Amino acid sequence: MAELVAVFLFIGVVAYAVLGGADFGAGFWDLIAGGAKRGREPRHLIDVSLAPVWEANHTWLIYCLVVLWTGFPSAFAAITTTLYIPLLLALLGIVLRGAGFAFRKATVRTEEQRLYGAAFAVSSVLTPYCFGAIAGGLASGRVPTAGNGDAISSWVNPSSILGGVLAVLACSYVAATYLTVEALHRDDDKLYRYYRDRAMAAGAVTGAVSIAGIFVLQADSPRLFDRLSGPALPLVVLAAVGGLVGLALLWAKRTVGTRVAAAGAVALVIVGWGVAQTPYLLGTHLSITEAAAPNASLAVVVGVAIVAGLLIVPSLVLLFRLSGRGVVGVGDRPFRGSVRQGERGSGEGMTEGSAAGRAGRAAEADRSGAAKAGRGAGVGLTKGARSTGAKTARTPAVPLGPTAVQGQPHRWVPYVLCAGAVTATAVAGARATRPDARWYRELNTPDWQPPPWAFGAVWTPLYASVAVAGGRALNAARGPQRKALAGEFAANLALNAGWSNLFFRLRSPLAGLAGTLLLDASNIRLLTRVARTDRKAAVILLPYAVWCAYATCLNASIVARNHEPRHRGPFKS
């Protein structure tokens, strides 16, 4: 139970690092945007991008603090009585940042706007630096189990300085990537080049500092270095690959997958740190089980975390979707469905919105043509075609769109294709799964792991729901949207089948954890796309995503309990 609570805690840390980090990074670019005239357009894009979501992203920080002090009270006491200076500075930075961001838009005098803008920008750099310094102090083992450690050296040391600098750089990279995509959605080529160049620079500097940090950790935090170069190495490599993919997509002016690649790279770095620190909460001492609260308290934490996730995550997804469409926010962000000529939408799904607009204009043109044809038929009534004209007037012809002219496939075809793909995925996964293997039976698994027979009983209806949801969504989609959705389903099923091979064939719970994290990210993206096309299909698909998230927690617990490699040599069943 303690490992499950630790996994829930770390999910909150990753979410805050990615979502809140993007907000802090935007403040960094606000700080170096230049004077009032030169920085007006970049700051305006920051304002309209942050305004709807910046307060909601701090929800994850509150979640992390509550889970930490409830689930691991001794670790919370040790951290707060040792690292209270950076914690207070981070709290002050959050308060000043929010006040500066809010008051800057409410004031009209230039001097006041500069003052509040400076408070917002400087605090956006101070806060992530403090959080990174806290992580460095924890990882290097400078927080005693009993607490009340050195208030200065615990966060002013090589590992903490490295952590603070990397936190600021990672936040700036994620924010620049998000703002580049936002500029692309607005068709603003000037701002696209502006933030693209800064994202490329931030990514390159972050990589260089990470390489230099290897030598810092080797000298100052040897255990963390050994673990990062051992069990956590695949995650570090995947993070580097994700960063490079994100930069390549930025350069190619791609919006699909760019933000996922950037956020995934940062998330994998955070997960790698967590794996390297396992099984200790304080870097080199105080294990997860030693710091855990009684099982009754942990059970309540798990229940509350699940309920909170069911309430908060859909709300945040809805907020981000509405913000991306321009429904909520400030400035010139009209709803993409607006019919006023010349307005440009912004946010995720611009391609679909533009296609819908073109389709609407084509339909309007068809209706205009039909009206002209009707008037021609009316003229023909005066020339002896009165009866035919009257019949035409009573039953006007409905113009057919291009897809109707070309013909649509039968509605059962997508269901058959999805059922075949899901069946192939299930067979591939079942062939790789070996729960009777000796190495697997010897693993230290948590008490809350279901019995082997339960997995088959659960996966059978889940696979069926994926086939049904896929058929519904593909039937509702049209044109390029259908192709993109089919690609998302194919990628998701490939990741699903790949997990069994990573976990069982490679005999590597850590590789399986990396695979299931990618599957969770694919589930979120797939749910988003499906919800745009068919909301009922998204609801049908939701249990599959929830079960995959549970499998991720289970996989993470197995990694935590078996952090040292126990089995070597060829596979033996």
Side-chain angles (χ1 to χ4, degrees):
M1 188 67 72
E3 291 85 356
L4 180 59
V5 175
V7 170
F8 281 147
L9 173 61
F10 217 73
I11 289 173
V13 172
V14 172
Y16 188 62
V18 172
L19 300 174
D23 290 355
F24 292 127
F28 172 81
W29 298 119
D30 188 293
L31 179 65
I32 64 173
K37 182 177 180 181
R38 185 161 63 93
R40 182 172 179 268
E41 292 185 6
R43 288 192 176 102
H44 177 68
L45 184 61
I46 291 172
D47 285 346
V48 299
S49 300
L50 254 65
V53 298
W54 68 276
E55 288 182 290
N57 288 335
H58 288 305
T59 303
W60 295 107
L61 178 61
I62 301 171
Y63 167 86
C64 292
L65 291 175
V66 172
V67 173
L68 179 60
W69 85 54
T70 308
F72 307 99
S74 58
F76 180 81
I79 293 170
T80 53
T81 57
T82 302
L83 296 167
Y84 57 88
I85 294 179
L87 284 171
L88 289 175
L89 289 175
L91 177 61
L92 178 64
I94 291 174
V95 173
L96 292 179
R97 179 178 179 274
F101 184 70
F103 291 146
R104 180 174 67 175
K105 299 191 295 295
T107 55
V108 293
R109 295 178 59 187
T110 304
E111 295 80 6
E112 294 177 347
Q113 289 180 345
R114 287 176 177 172
L115 175 62
Y116 293 130
F120 162 71
V122 173
S123 300
S124 297
V125 177
L126 174 66
T127 303
Y129 179 85
C130 289
F131 283 135
I134 291 171
L138 288 173
S140 58
R142 287 183 167 89
V143 178
T145 300
N148 297 299
D150 192 289
I152 302 300
S153 63
S154 60
W155 69 286
V156 181
N157 56 75
S159 296
S160 292
I161 293 173
L162 174 65
V165 172
L166 281 177
V168 173
L169 290 174
C171 291
S172 62
Y173 165 63
V174 173
T177 302
Y178 283 22
L179 291 168
T180 303
V181 175
E182 182 72 12
L184 277 174
H185 286 155
R186 291 170 169 268
D187 294 331
D188 193 325
D189 194 60
K190 180 181 177 181
L191 282 179
Y192 157 72
R193 292 193 303 269
Y194 179 90
Y195 280 114
R196 180 204 63 188
D197 295 343
R198 281 152 179 78
M200 302 284 288
V205 173
T206 303
V209 172
S210 301
I211 294 174
I214 294 175
F215 304 98
V216 175
L217 294 179
Q218 188 176 16
D220 192 62
S221 303
R223 184 183 185 276
L224 181 64
F225 171 80
D226 292 339
R227 299 281 294 171
L228 285 174
S229 57
L233 184 60
L235 296 173
V236 176
V237 173
L238 284 175
V241 172
L244 293 174
V245 170
L247 295 178
L249 292 174
L250 280 177
W251 187 261
K253 300 184 73 170
R254 301 288 183 182
T255 58
V256 177
T258 304
R259 288 183 286 195
V260 174
V266 175
L268 286 171
V269 170
I270 304 296
V271 174
W273 164 55
V275 170
Q277 193 162 300
T278 304
Y280 300 115
L281 281 177
L282 301 182
T284 59
H285 50 277
L286 190 62
S287 67
I288 294 174
T289 54
E290 293 172 347
N295 285 335
S297 299
L298 295 178
V300 173
V301 172
V302 171
V304 171
I306 293 175
V307 173
L310 294 176
L311 293 176
I312 293 174
V313 173
S315 302
L316 289 177
V317 171
L318 178 61
L319 175 63
F320 292 145
R321 288 188 62 197
L322 295 177
S323 174
R325 291 178 177 179
V327 178
V328 294
V330 297
D332 55 343
R333 290 173 63 93
F335 177 60
R336 190 178 295 109
S338 175
V339 296
R340 288 179 289 177
Q341 187 175 4
E343 288 186 339
R344 295 181 301 180
S346 63
E348 192 72 29
M350 179 94 179
T351 305
E352 289 86 354
S354 300
R358 289 193 297 270
R361 289 192 294 272
E364 185 176 355
D366 290 341
R367 287 193 296 270
S368 300
K372 292 178 181 178
R375 287 194 295 270
V379 172
L381 294 179
T382 61
K383 298 182 179 180
R386 191 174 304 273
S387 59
T388 306
K391 184 177 181 179
T392 304
R394 286 192 301 269
T395 57
V398 179
L400 297 177
T403 55
V405 174
Q406 296 172 2
Q408 292 290 337
H410 294 289
R411 293 186 63 84
W412 53 265
V413 173
Y415 287 100
V416 173
L417 294 177
C418 288
V422 168
T423 302
T425 301
V427 171
R431 288 179 62 86
T433 302
R434 298 289 300 276
D436 58 341
R438 186 179 65 186
W439 78 271
Y440 179 75
R441 293 197 305 268
E442 293 177 358
L443 287 176
N444 183 7
T445 57
D447 297 333
W448 43 274
Q449 174 176 320
W453 60 265
F455 289 96
V458 172
W459 272 111
T460 300
L462 287 180
Y463 277 133
S465 69
V466 173
V468 173
R472 283 186 61 98
L474 291 177
N475 270 326
R478 292 292 182 269
Q481 189 182 21
R482 171 179 287 184
K483 293 182 180 179
L485 192 58
E488 291 287 347
F489 269 105
N492 186 273
L493 293 177
L495 290 172
N496 186 303
W499 176 85
S500 300
N501 289 274
L502 291 173
F503 191 98
F504 286 98
R505 289 193 181 276
L506 295 182
R507 296 190 302 152
S508 174
L510 184 60
L513 178 60
T516 190
L517 287 172
L518 292 174
L519 179 60
D520 290 334
S522 176
N523 285 337
I524 294 173
R525 186 167 181 83
L526 182 62
L527 279 172
T528 302
R529 280 191 175 274
V530 170
R532 293 175 187 165
T533 306
D534 189 327
R535 294 184 182 275
K536 290 184 178 179
V539 173
I540 296 173
L541 202 60
L542 188 59
Y544 166 72
V546 172
W547 179 260
C548 289
Y550 169 78
T552 301
C553 297
L554 180 60
N555 200 149
S557 178
I558 292 176
V559 170
R561 288 169 170 265
N562 303 270
H563 55 279
E564 295 295 338
R566 301 173 52 188
H567 303 280
R568 303 276 185 190
F571 176 83
K572 295 180 180 180
S573 58

